[in-house]
Structure formats: structure tokens, C-alpha cells
Amino acid sequence: MRLIAVWICVCAHELMPAARLPPGTVVEQTHARHTASRMQPALFLPTARQVNWLLLVALLSLGEALYLRSLAIEYAPVSLACQAGLDTWLCATFRLTIWLYNHSVFGWVALGAALINLLRPTILLVAVALAASAFGLVLHNANLAGLAAALLLLSLARPAPAAL
């Protein structure tokens, strides 16, 4: 037990040698913990401004998808009126959304953008994949859109593209 206490004191002394020096003393580091050959490349991380724009894109897409689902697709009076041939902007959006859903376009677009973003990360591809994933998850293309969302998370662990 005493040996462990001595070892802890020795390690603490080696880790913090400047603790007993007067303030303002410059201490030269004798060994570098990180060398240039072992440094990891910078990861693809959006800036704070880019994150704000991505949040705006994601929340607007999610809101529009929820609006279409709850007030056009699942709301029986509007759905029946649109299927009967009512010609309004909501019914045109309803018909387009149903066509895109039947062909799994939301999921495929989200998956394609996420895969390309995994290979070559850019903010534009993240925004497209986020918007398509939000639509896909809300409008029942959840398999492909969920996979795309997982790939978007993986793309944050990728190295940033080299500057040209």
C-alpha cells in the first residue's frame, strides 16, 4: 500500500514539475508528448455558423414534413378532397409527396448524399442529406433515411478534405 502511495507521488512530481517554481518562470519541456508524425488529421467539423444553418435546414425540413403528414396526408377531409381532384398548392404538394414516397425518393436521396458525404465531406451534402433524412423519417422511408442519418454521424469522424 505504501509503495503505491510513493509511486503516485513520484508520478505527480513528474507530471507537474512547475508547481513548485515561482510564478512567471518559463519551463522548457524536455520531451514532447505529441510528435508531428503521430498527429491525427483534422476532422470534418462544421463551424458554429455552419451548424446554425444546418440546424435551420434540418428543423425547417422536419417541420414541413410534419405539416404535410399531419395536415394533408393523415387528415381525412384534406386527403379525400385532394384525391377527388381539388386543385390547390396543398393538394399539388400532397400528390408530389405521395409520388416521391411511393418511389422511396426521400430515402434514396438521403442515402446517396450521405454516402457521397462520407467519401468527400462538404456542408452542402450534409444539408441535403439532413433535409432528405428528415422527410424520409417522418414520411415512412425510415429504413434508408435512418441509414443515411447514421452515415452522416460517421462522416463527422472523417478527415477534412485537403485544401486545393
Side-chain angles (χ1 to χ4, degrees):
M1 198 65 178
R2 188 173 193 133
L3 183 60
I4 293 173
V6 169
W7 182 77
I8 290 173
C9 290
V10 168
C11 289
H13 176 71
E14 288 177 2
L15 291 176
M16 298 182 296
R20 62 180 197 267
L21 295 174
T25 304
V26 177
V27 179
E28 185 178 329
Q29 189 172 0
T30 56
H31 62 283
R33 292 180 183 233
H34 301 289
T35 61
S37 64
R38 293 192 303 170
M39 288 182 62
Q40 298 291 327
L43 297 179
F44 172 68
L45 292 175
T47 64
R49 180 174 290 183
Q50 292 169 337
V51 168
N52 287 335
W53 281 107
L54 290 174
L55 283 172
L56 182 68
V57 166
L59 291 176
L60 286 176
S61 302
L62 187 65
E64 179 66 20
L66 286 170
Y67 175 77
L68 284 172
R69 181 177 169 186
S70 61
L71 293 178
I73 296 172
E74 290 181 354
Y75 188 54
V78 173
S79 179
L80 291 173
C82 288
Q83 290 173 9
L86 184 63
D87 191 25
T88 63
W89 67 269
L90 183 60
C91 289
T93 308
F94 169 82
R95 284 188 280 279
L96 177 66
T97 303
I98 293 298
W99 186 84
L100 292 174
Y101 162 74
N102 286 334
H103 297 289
S104 299
V105 172
F106 300 121
W108 285 113
V109 167
L111 185 62
L115 279 172
I116 295 171
N117 185 59
L118 188 63
L119 299 174
R120 181 87 174 146
T122 63
I123 292 299
L124 181 63
L125 285 173
V126 172
V128 169
L130 269 176
S133 293
F135 268 89
L137 289 173
V138 171
L139 297 174
H140 302 294
N141 289 142
N143 293 337
L144 294 171
L147 182 59
L151 289 175
L152 277 177
L153 286 175
L154 281 178
S155 71
L156 293 175
R158 297 282 300 158
L164 297 177

